[in-house]
Amino acid sequence: MMDLGALLVLGAAGVAAGGVNAVAGGGSLIMLPVLLALGVPPIQATVTNSISVTGGYSASVLGTWPDLHGQRARLRLLAPTVLLGAVTGCVLLLHTPPGVFAKLMPLLVLAASLLLAFQTRVSRLVGEPHAQPVWLRFVLLFGVGVYGGYFNSVLGVILIAVLSVVVVESMNRIVALKNLLQLVVGVVATTMYTLFGPVYWPAVAVLVPATLLGGFVGARVGRRLPAGTLRAVIVAFGVTVAGVLFVRAMS
């Protein structure tokens, strides 16, 4: 059990994560290392982090709801594919041996950090959606769902990149799609991990209101900060954490 000081540190991390999610994205790369540093085992930390960010996904959907107008038919195709992928990712995580996941986590954190670092370039990988086979769209979205259910960090970056490839829409409407599909992954993860996962509920109780507070504040004052600088700091932090986790896994 965490003492009061540890819970306060976790709450501060949650506020910071919610704030940077509102500005640059990548807030999970703050919360997850703090959970690990406070002694939460890797799988339990990942499960706890996945549940804790779902409230923020809900707020994002409400904020971009008008941009979903006219996209109901598209969502009927995309959402079930992402949902199935998320279920698959959750099942894979719950059946991954802790020792194996401890060795995978440095690679996952490093991959998430690099995706955040190259977010702009990744999001510009726009193809010709009308020339793509339908099966390719389902494979890409299913893969995103698997990633989200299994690890979740920087999920929004991957979703925007994939949606930019498979649909022809303005960026505002793509972001609205991203927010709703992200919520689908969050609801699946919350349900699966609540029923079957090793959730550390005291941390969830602290992180959910903390991330919502951070998101509220970040959306209003965080835009004054250079998003690129903030992203660079988070990426450097994530790469450092990946290195520490790698050394720990190899020891």
Side-chain angles (χ1 to χ4, degrees):
M1 296 294 292
M2 295 182 185
D3 58 22
L4 179 59
L7 292 174
L8 289 174
V9 169
L10 192 59
V15 172
V20 301
N21 274 338
V23 179
S28 290
L29 291 175
I30 295 175
M31 289 197 305
L32 190 58
V34 171
L35 284 166
L36 294 169
L38 292 174
V40 183
I43 290 181
Q44 189 174 30
T46 301
V47 165
T48 301
N49 176 72
S50 294
I51 291 178
S52 300
V53 297
T54 302
Y57 294 163
S58 304
S60 298
V61 170
L62 289 176
T64 55
W65 188 261
D67 289 318
L68 289 170
H69 179 71
Q71 301 202 74
R72 183 176 300 178
R74 176 178 289 143
L75 284 168
R76 282 199 293 266
L77 293 173
L78 302 184
T81 306
V82 173
L83 186 151
L84 183 59
V87 170
T88 304
C90 291
V91 172
L92 286 173
L93 179 62
L94 292 173
H95 286 82
T96 301
V100 173
F101 189 76
K103 290 181 172 61
L104 283 176
M105 179 167 270
L107 299 177
L108 292 169
V109 172
L110 180 61
S113 301
L114 293 177
L115 280 169
L116 183 61
F118 296 104
Q119 177 178 4
T120 303
R121 295 184 184 179
V122 171
S123 297
R124 286 176 180 169
L125 294 177
V126 181
E128 295 292 337
H130 296 305
Q132 298 166 354
V134 174
W135 64 264
L136 179 59
R137 304 180 193 182
F138 285 109
V139 167
L140 290 172
L141 288 163
F142 179 80
V144 171
V146 172
Y147 174 87
Y150 193 83
F151 191 60
N152 191 275
S153 292
V154 200
L155 174 61
V157 175
I158 304 173
L159 266 172
I160 286 179
V162 169
L163 288 171
S164 296
V165 171
V166 302
V167 301
V168 179
E169 283 291 359
S170 67
M171 184 51 66
N172 285 344
R173 286 170 67 80
I174 285 176
V175 168
L177 277 174
K178 180 269 293 183
N179 288 340
L180 189 55
L181 294 176
Q182 204 169 230
L183 179 60
V184 169
V185 173
V187 170
V188 169
T190 298
T191 303
M192 293 283 290
Y193 294 146
T194 297
L195 294 174
F196 308 111
V199 184
Y200 189 61
W201 289 109
V204 172
V206 172
L207 286 172
V208 169
T211 53
L212 288 173
L213 174 61
F216 179 82
V217 174
R220 282 160 175 72
V221 303
R223 298 293 179 182
R224 301 175 187 174
L225 301 173
T229 302
L230 186 57
R231 184 181 295 112
V233 171
I234 298 168
V235 168
F237 180 63
V239 171
T240 302
V241 168
V244 172
L245 291 174
F246 181 78
V247 171
R248 183 187 298 175
M250 293 299 104
S251 62

